[in-house]
Amino acid sequence: MAGSYAETAYSNGYEFTHGSGYELPEYPFEPPPELASGEASHHPIVIVGGGITGLTLACALAQYGVPAVLLDEDNTVGVKGASSRGICYTQKSLEIFERLGIYQRIAAKGIQWSVGRTFAGEDEVYSFDLRQQSGYNLSSQPPFINIQQFYIEGYLVERIYELGQVQLRWRNRVTGFREDGEGATLSVSTPAGDYQLRADYVIDATGSHSPFRQWVGAAVTAKKGDDRWCIADVRFTKKPPVERHTWIEAPFNENRAVWQHLMGDNVWRIDYQMAPDSDPAEVSREDVVRERLGRQFGADAGVEIVWVGPYAYRSECVDRMRHGRVFLMGDSAKVVSPFGARGGNTGIADADNLAWKLAAVQRGLAAPALLESYHEERHEAAQQNVLVTNRTARFLRPATPVEKRFRDAALSLARQHMFARQFVNTGRMAVANPYTRSSACDGTGGLSVQNVAFEWADGSSGRVNDLLRWAEGRLLVLLFGDAAPAALERLRSLAETAPLRCVQVLGPDDTPGAMEYVRDPKGHLQGACHVFGHAWALVRPDSYVAATGESVDAHLVHAVGQALGAALEEAA
């Protein structure tokens, strides 16, 4: 019934308590055309959920020129009345956002960091500088940027409106779902009335309280912990250093853990581990929070509380990330503890993985069977991230006396010996997960390609993302070094019959044999593709290597078919 639409409730375990909070944008509700026509419209792709995962998918589809509809039950980004939520975005996520056209906005608002320090008591037991590590130092994007999640979501909304293609329907809540042999039907409630729409594919990005899990009968492996935390988003007159600081046993927090990060707007995010039996209302009272902050930063720190909220976390993973026409992604598919920034970042990677596959299938460039590889690849990543974050949670709050003895020994050794620092686990920082089980990659593929620099034929600078944009959703063959005329001819013939673009990659003095070529004077592009010498790399639109090889032969032809779902199509 029109006018009976219930406001969106708080979600994800956050509770508003104190502080001025954040001003979030609000987007207008527009009555869907189905209400006037009385007919269920049909759309190839419907995305349910306008959080960071659903918006990333919508933006990527728009970038590929593929139409879709996104339904969100709220009319804003973030969670009304709630905190900054996710704050730490990895190099892989930043590379994805650069490809989508919002990286510069993120870099201008957020805080770049690469140094992390870990303390036990008063002692620094471990530190790192990610810019000195080979896994991070070649990309055009930094190792991490800290920024409140709602800013990224807002930038994605702006970009989707700029690109067109995707309808954003605010205050459209999905209340029912059914699937038949020809498609899926969604029942949707709005402030102006209810309607239905049909879809070929439905993407569930509704988060950890997803109704689709029950609707599709997804089995979930879950583990609820008793660890309790309290977030304080604060500004200071006397500012801490721009580094990631963690305390395993903080003397100013009753020897419990503390996290300290700077975000946008000069706001620090401080996470305090609480006692397992703590009362959320008590630990988040303003006077209690101010006293806790005073113990850490001193009475003269000049604290302004922006937001405070208690939270607990749990670990969950669905059995399958695809159920018929429904794809689960982000927190709908898995929920992890917040250590190591493996929550939102893996949701962003889920979206990037599925977007190019949906686009390729919709444009007739790939077999529909390719979509099955989404589950194969991203479920492996989900399981790995659940495993890694659970280990961190147990290190921070040992579950048994044996685990406590191990932690105490690791901290004791780490104070004096370099080798022991690897045992100190305050969160293994998120990485681009490898794919070892994928039917769309052969044994030489499955690794991410960094957004490294090269030179175009005219000597100007380019990046891997520039090549991917140029390929427009097709596969990309990079042929490194000199090549015989026969090999180049075979490559040209392949490009005429398959959806791929081919580029020869030369050293500074090599003579080009192909019409399309770039130069890699420092070898960064070759290293990013995980090949050496005379070789080729087949790169997917999500900047993952599908396969590598040495000769332009049947292996490459097979790899192209495999990367486009032909192997799965034949098996079916």
Side-chain angles (χ1 to χ4, degrees):
M1 181 177 177
S4 62
Y5 190 82
E7 292 296 323
T8 303
Y10 298 134
S11 63
N12 294 318
Y14 290 106
E15 303 171 32
F16 176 74
T17 50
H18 302 289
S20 56
Y22 295 97
E23 293 293 329
L24 301 179
E26 293 193 356
Y27 306 107
F29 165 75
E30 298 179 4
E34 293 85 355
L35 291 177
S37 70
E39 300 291 331
S41 61
H42 177 271
H43 303 274
I45 301 169
V46 174
I47 304 163
V48 186
I52 196 166
T53 303
L55 289 170
T56 299
L57 176 64
C59 191
L61 289 173
Q63 185 98 323
Y64 290 126
V66 174
V69 174
L70 184 147
L71 309 173
D72 190 68
E73 65 177 5
D74 208 347
N75 68 338
T76 187
V77 292
V79 175
K80 284 183 178 177
S83 78
S84 44
R85 301 169 72 207
I87 64 164
C88 189
Y89 294 92
T90 65
Q91 187 173 86
K92 182 65 177 180
S93 294
L94 298 173
E95 290 171 341
I96 292 169
F97 291 142
E98 197 281 332
R99 205 183 321 130
L100 297 181
I102 66 167
Y103 169 70
Q104 292 303 328
R105 301 176 219 194
I106 294 170
K109 172 62 72 172
I111 301 296
Q112 296 187 25
W113 68 274
S114 61
V115 174
R117 303 186 188 279
T118 297
F119 302 87
E122 303 290 347
D123 301 324
E124 181 178 324
V125 296
Y126 180 65
S127 66
F128 58 80
D129 186 346
L130 295 174
R131 284 199 176 276
Q132 305 304 315
Q133 298 180 14
S134 60
Y136 293 96
N137 61 6
L138 298 182
S139 175
S140 300
Q141 276 62 57
F144 287 94
I145 286 182
N146 283 1
I147 183 173
Q148 293 88 328
Q149 180 174 327
F150 57 78
Y151 277 124
I152 293 184
E153 293 176 0
Y155 300 148
L156 286 167
V157 171
E158 291 174 1
R159 183 64 174 151
I160 291 166
Y161 281 134
E162 291 169 6
L163 291 168
Q165 300 291 341
V166 174
Q167 298 179 38
L168 297 178
R169 298 190 181 184
W170 306 105
R171 302 189 75 189
N172 280 241
R173 177 180 292 125
V174 175
T175 56
F177 164 84
R178 71 176 187 272
E179 184 176 338
D180 54 46
E182 298 181 356
T185 301
L186 296 170
S187 300
V188 186
S189 174
T190 80
D194 302 340
Y195 69 97
Q196 292 187 332
L197 51 77
R198 297 273 294 168
D200 295 330
Y201 300 109
V202 176
I203 289 77
D204 172 23
T206 55
S208 60
H209 300 289
S210 163
F212 282 91
R213 291 183 182 179
Q214 183 175 356
W215 289 339
V216 302
V220 181
T221 301
K223 179 182 178 183
K224 183 173 175 59
D226 62 356
D227 210 4
R228 299 289 181 268
W229 292 72
C230 186
I231 299 170
D233 286 0
V234 297
R235 291 188 180 93
F236 297 100
T237 303
K238 179 181 172 184
K239 298 176 181 178
V242 183
E243 297 176 342
R244 173 188 185 258
H245 283 191
T246 62
W247 286 262
I248 299 170
E249 296 173 342
F252 48 81
N253 189 41
E254 300 175 322
N255 283 332
R256 296 190 178 92
V258 174
W259 264 244
Q260 176 181 308
H261 278 273
L262 175 61
M263 307 179 290
D265 302 329
N266 286 314
V267 176
W268 266 261
R269 163 83 168 262
I270 319 293
D271 290 49
Y272 294 100
Q273 187 183 36
M274 299 285 97
D277 58 351
S278 59
D279 176 9
E282 172 69 20
V283 299
S284 59
R285 262 190 15 233
E286 182 171 359
D287 60 322
V288 174
V289 172
R290 286 191 176 278
E291 194 272 335
R292 189 183 301 132
L293 289 164
R295 287 201 306 267
Q296 179 177 357
F297 296 101
D300 61 342
V303 171
E304 174 198 345
I305 295 178
V306 178
W307 183 89
V308 174
Y311 74 94
Y313 57 81
R314 61 189 187 277
S315 167
E316 297 179 350
C317 191
V318 298
D319 61 331
R320 289 192 56 80
M321 292 176 66
R322 180 184 185 182
H323 289 262
R325 297 179 181 274
V326 177
F327 297 85
L328 284 70
M329 60 171 43
D331 286 357
S332 294
K334 54 90 188 71
V335 178
V336 299
S337 59
F339 312 120
R342 291 173 180 260
N345 286 293
T346 57
I348 293 162
D350 290 346
D352 194 44
N353 184 289
L354 185 57
W356 79 267
K357 296 173 182 177
L358 284 171
V361 170
Q362 289 298 307
R363 295 164 62 191
L365 305 179
L370 174 63
L371 298 175
E372 187 61 22
S373 67
Y374 165 74
H375 162 74
E376 296 167 348
E377 295 174 355
R378 295 311 302 165
H379 193 253
E380 178 184 10
Q383 289 179 315
Q384 179 65 19
N385 289 315
V386 167
L387 176 66
V388 169
T389 53
N390 281 348
R391 286 174 176 168
T392 301
R394 289 173 65 179
F395 188 87
L396 293 174
R397 187 168 185 277
T400 67
V402 171
E403 290 180 357
K404 180 65 165 61
R405 284 197 296 272
F406 174 85
R407 190 181 85 167
D408 292 345
L411 293 176
S412 178
L413 284 170
R415 287 180 168 93
Q416 303 176 52
H417 303 288
M418 183 82 68
F419 80 90
R421 293 174 185 175
Q422 62 186 311
F423 303 131
V424 177
N425 186 353
T426 60
R428 308 303 188 199
M429 300 308 294
V431 296
N433 293 91
Y435 303 145
T436 66
R437 309 173 191 166
S438 174
S439 59
C441 298
D442 74 7
T444 64
L447 295 176
S448 178
V449 179
Q450 283 185 286
N451 188 31
V452 300
F454 59 84
E455 292 180 1
W456 294 107
D458 64 3
S460 61
S461 179
R463 301 289 187 273
V464 168
N465 276 350
D466 297 326
L467 286 172
L468 297 175
R469 279 188 285 262
W470 170 73
E472 296 181 320
R474 298 172 177 83
L475 299 175
L476 181 67
V477 176
L478 299 179
L479 181 64
F480 293 90
D482 297 328
L488 293 173
E489 182 58 36
R490 286 194 293 273
L491 207 54
R492 275 190 289 269
S493 298
L494 183 59
E496 289 174 359
T497 57
L500 57 88
R501 293 281 181 92
C502 304
V503 178
Q504 188 177 17
V505 184
L506 303 171
D509 303 316
D510 294 336
T511 301
M515 183 177 297
E516 303 288 358
Y517 71 92
V518 299
R519 296 193 182 276
D520 187 24
K522 297 181 180 179
H524 290 173
L525 182 54
Q526 187 163 26
C529 291
H530 314 284
V531 294
F532 304 93
H534 288 76
W536 54 261
L538 182 63
V539 182
R540 310 186 324 183
D542 61 350
S543 203
Y544 266 80
V545 173
T548 64
E550 296 181 357
S551 302
V552 181
D553 53 18
H555 177 203
L556 174 57
V557 177
H558 176 76
V560 170
Q562 185 177 13
L564 296 174
L568 276 169
E569 193 85 349
E570 292 169 4

